[in-house]
Amino acid sequence: MLQVGLSLPRPPGAAAAAFPMAEPAAGEDSGTGPEVLGSSPVTIVVTSEADTWDIDTSSCLGCGQFVDWDKMPEAQQAAPIPRDVLGRPPKELKRLAREGCWAGSHAGRARLYPRLIQQVSCRLVTPDALVYRDVAARLFGKPSVSSHPLPEFLEGCPMPTYCLNPHGVTALKKILICVGALFPDITHGPLLPALAALLLHYSQDEAQCFESLSRLIASNAPHAAYIDQSFLAHQASCMTFGDLANKHCPAAHRLIAGAADNVLEVYSEWLWWLFPGLPFAYAVRVLDVFLLEGQKVLYRIALALLKLFRLSVGPAGLQGSDIKAELQAFVGNIAQHVTVDKLLERAFGIRLFSRKEIWLLQMANRKALVERGITVVQRRPSFHLAVDMQNFSSSTVTAQEMRLVWSWIPERFSLFPPLLLFSTSQDGCSLQRFYTCCEGYEPTVLLIKTTEGEVCGAFLSSDWSERKKSGATSGFFGTGECFVFTVRPEAERYEWVLIKKPELAKAVPRSRQRSPSPAPESPPGSSRDSRGCSPNHLAVPSPQRRSRLSPFLAVRHFLLPSKTASMFMSGSRDGIIIGKGG
């Protein structure tokens, strides 16, 4: 229940906030001149959520003033928003958002969004609505000032307006200019324009929209960032998405690697597939969940789009087409392929790592970028990440095949060009010579060409010198990032089965050994091993307690205890083993 008036006493437990009147102040020019901020505020007193607050039927003073209602899609027919929605447990709240509980009411979103964002943990000193009014009055309150440049951090970033009217577009620009003035540390923010535009559809005024955006920028929740604020952070997110796409969308990843000169360049636009790529009705449903779950939701949606895109491509593939343009066109016409409910259902069916694990992967990618010379203040990319097609030469694989192999390895390593360490044509066929040439380097890629012309290989995450730690025995080492692959006659990547089929983890028996023993050979003609795993995958190590991080993550990059490592490599004087023994 709302009580609106001047100088009303605040009841116990109620929250108060000042908002400018939606109507023009006396003497204010209602035409195209600069807007005067600083009209007399009214005090809105809101009773606590535990009272009889009805989010569906309550009016929203001033909401919709920035919207072109002719463009705005009709609200979906959905069940009423529960009266005690904000008092629900977080898990229940996420379920309601995923199911589109507040997709049936524009007013419901307008009332709920600010309250959800108020629950976001953020820095102690965060600019709010009052600060915005003060700064906006100084910047835009002088009639002599006719225009202001947009912040530099928006260079090269799309600025969608969705269903905003001309007044809303002006308000959007003013909000972004004030963000640039109050957050000088932001050097690159591709998500900010779309996020501000979407929030503005459901905001009472510019100040409320700014405060919501400000809290998301200043969020300090552990491992749950909302907005990348530098090119370094954004590029690390793009590399992380590439790692996730490589794991969860192998068919689409293989399609992109075959059609694009630079895979990471394609994945660098993954955020644009969502904003501004998705239609408004889809984008706002993504926003519903994003406000509760953070950036992990965006990874899920983008991966689901990538899977659907692969299904839409015919058997002929994408020969000669612009893969980036094809992806953008597909996302823009997503309504022809799948409903928003089915898209979200598919997205949340993807078994991703935990927030902490994704954050650690981002930090590892960020570290690799820093080593490559990327800085926090850098605004645009200045390096090429693909294999040099012109200068690459090998008797084992072609440049095109090497580029495909390079697209399979973790993004933080694919930043660097391949360096030849050992070749039988130059170094002979001595296994000891192989060890000597490869020791001191990690990770490495092993390529093997048979006398029949077939080519296979492996990505090896650890230094071969670690084999010496086992003494005379043939001990195992390495991490779950190891994988084997074939290039000819067919290109295929075979990864750790625990990542590909996480539901199999419960069926794997525990082991007290530090290094798993080689698995027994399967009977002739058998298509599966004794633990139910396909022979096309690496053997599954012992699972860990739920409280531990996935052993997929590399020990030396994330400084995890050594006992959390999974081991897939072994080397001795007699030979090498990668993956499953026997």
Side-chain angles (χ1 to χ4, degrees):
M1 182 175 62
L2 290 178
Q3 298 175 337
V4 182
L6 296 176
S7 304
L8 290 176
R10 186 187 309 180
F19 296 91
M21 295 292 288
E23 297 78 17
E28 182 180 352
D29 185 4
S30 59
T32 59
E35 180 180 346
V36 177
L37 300 178
S39 55
S40 300
V42 298
T43 301
I44 298 179
V45 181
V46 184
T47 59
S48 63
E49 291 80 13
D51 294 338
T52 59
W53 174 60
D54 190 339
I55 196 168
D56 271 340
T57 58
S58 298
S59 62
C60 295
L61 179 65
C63 287
Q65 61 175 311
F66 304 113
V67 177
D68 183 343
W69 290 101
D70 292 333
K71 298 180 182 178
M72 194 78 161
E74 293 292 333
Q76 301 177 9
Q77 295 296 324
I81 300 177
R83 299 167 67 90
D84 61 341
V85 61
L86 292 176
R88 300 290 182 92
K91 201 170 187 179
E92 176 73 5
L93 203 56
K94 290 178 184 179
R95 183 187 64 80
L96 292 173
R98 293 178 181 185
E99 294 176 354
C101 182
W102 36 92
S105 169
H106 294 311
R109 277 197 178 104
R111 295 292 309 282
L112 191 57
Y113 276 179
R115 293 168 177 266
L116 290 176
I117 295 173
Q118 283 295 322
Q119 297 179 357
V120 173
S121 173
C122 62
R123 298 192 293 266
L124 183 62
V125 181
T126 300
D128 58 9
L130 294 176
V131 173
Y132 174 82
R133 292 193 187 93
D134 179 62
V135 173
R138 287 189 285 107
L139 289 176
F140 313 114
K142 299 178 181 179
S144 60
V145 179
S146 58
S147 64
H148 295 269
L150 290 173
E152 291 186 9
F153 64 74
L154 295 179
E155 180 184 353
C157 301
M159 193 169 77
T161 56
Y162 295 111
C163 304
L164 296 177
N165 58 27
H167 178 48
V169 174
T170 300
L172 173 63
K173 293 178 180 178
K174 290 165 65 177
I175 290 169
L176 292 173
I177 290 170
C178 287
V179 167
L182 292 167
F183 292 92
D185 292 338
I186 299 179
T187 56
H188 189 67
L191 183 58
L192 281 170
L195 202 53
L198 290 171
L199 289 172
L200 197 55
H201 286 73
Y202 303 100
S203 297
Q204 292 182 354
D205 57 13
E206 298 170 16
Q208 185 188 60
C209 179
F210 170 84
E211 180 170 332
S212 296
L213 191 64
S214 177
R215 291 189 67 85
L216 296 177
I217 293 172
S219 168
N220 60 2
H223 315 131
Y226 283 90
I227 302 172
D228 292 330
Q229 300 171 36
S230 68
F231 173 73
L232 177 62
H234 172 64
Q235 197 67 14
S237 296
C238 294
M239 292 170 62
T240 300
F241 178 78
D243 287 326
L244 296 175
N246 201 359
K247 289 285 175 191
H248 298 282
C249 310
H253 182 80
R254 188 165 55 249
L255 177 73
I256 292 173
D261 292 333
N262 191 332
V263 178
L264 184 55
E265 188 177 331
V266 177
Y267 289 148
S268 292
E269 297 185 358
W270 76 276
L271 202 55
W272 296 351
W273 303 346
L274 310 181
F275 312 111
L278 289 173
F280 176 81
Y282 285 67
V284 75
R285 284 289 301 276
V286 175
L287 181 63
D288 289 345
V289 192
F290 172 74
L291 295 180
L292 287 168
E293 302 188 40
Q295 195 178 48
K296 185 177 178 180
V297 168
L298 306 186
Y299 286 133
R300 287 186 182 277
I301 304 294
L303 289 172
L305 289 171
L306 197 58
K307 284 176 174 285
L308 291 168
F309 172 72
R310 178 62 187 93
L311 293 176
S312 71
V313 176
L318 296 169
Q319 288 87 353
S321 62
D322 183 349
I323 182 68
K324 294 195 291 184
E326 292 281 345
L327 273 163
Q328 289 290 354
F330 171 80
V331 171
N333 297 314
I334 189 65
Q336 300 178 9
H337 302 274
V338 66
T339 65
V340 64
D341 290 304
K342 288 296 183 182
L343 175 63
L344 292 174
E345 181 181 334
R346 179 179 283 265
F348 288 105
I350 298 173
R351 298 283 298 272
L352 284 186
F353 301 139
S354 69
R355 281 194 185 90
K356 184 174 183 180
E357 290 168 335
I358 291 176
W359 178 79
L360 289 171
L361 191 55
Q362 285 179 322
M363 292 301 102
N365 288 330
R366 184 183 177 113
K367 178 182 177 182
L369 286 167
V370 171
E371 291 175 355
R372 188 61 189 263
I374 305 304
T375 65
V376 174
V377 298
Q378 182 169 333
R379 292 182 172 85
R380 304 299 301 158
S382 62
F383 57 94
H384 190 67
L385 302 182
V387 174
D388 188 347
M389 300 286 287
Q390 302 298 324
N391 299 322
F392 179 80
S393 175
S394 170
S395 60
T396 306
V397 291
T398 66
Q400 183 74 18
E401 290 170 337
M402 189 60 183
R403 190 177 67 183
L404 176 62
V405 171
W406 220 241
S407 75
W408 285 335
I409 71 176
E411 294 284 0
R412 62 186 183 277
F413 301 129
S414 65
L415 287 174
F416 304 92
L419 171 67
L420 181 63
L421 299 178
F422 174 86
S423 171
T424 53
S425 61
Q426 299 177 12
D427 302 292
C429 297
S430 167
L431 187 58
Q432 185 57 46
R433 177 68 176 167
F434 167 80
Y435 290 141
T436 302
C437 291
C438 296
E439 286 178 1
Y441 293 92
E442 66 174 30
T444 53
V445 174
L446 176 64
L447 293 169
I448 302 172
K449 186 175 183 179
T450 70
T451 55
E452 301 295 328
E454 298 174 332
V455 177
C456 61
F459 172 75
L460 308 168
S461 62
S462 299
D463 189 339
W464 279 106
S465 64
E466 291 195 22
R467 77 188 192 284
K468 300 177 181 178
K469 297 180 180 178
S470 300
T473 62
S474 179
F476 279 75
F477 55 97
T479 73
E481 283 186 311
C482 295
F483 62 85
V484 295
F485 57 84
T486 59
V487 177
R488 293 183 221 149
E490 294 182 358
E492 189 63 58
R493 175 178 182 268
Y494 302 100
E495 64 179 357
W496 181 24
V497 72
L498 187 61
I499 297 298
K500 194 132 185 169
K501 300 182 182 300
E503 66 274 10
L504 297 179
K506 296 180 180 178
V508 181
R510 290 185 177 274
S511 171
R512 296 180 180 272
Q513 298 177 359
R514 186 177 186 275
S515 302
S517 301
E521 294 185 5
S522 300
S526 173
S527 62
R528 305 185 71 83
D529 65 20
S530 60
R531 290 178 288 188
C533 301
S534 166
N536 288 341
H537 296 88
L538 300 180
V540 183
S542 302
Q544 299 171 311
R545 295 192 302 274
R546 183 170 297 181
S547 61
R548 291 194 179 277
L549 296 175
S550 165
F552 164 76
L553 301 173
V555 176
R556 59 191 42 77
H557 290 288
F558 303 133
L559 303 179
L560 303 179
S562 60
K563 62 183 178 180
T564 66
S566 49
M567 302 171 186
F568 293 99
M569 301 167 57
S570 178
S572 66
R573 292 174 296 179
D574 301 322
I576 62 175
I577 297 174
I578 301 167
K580 172 180 161 183

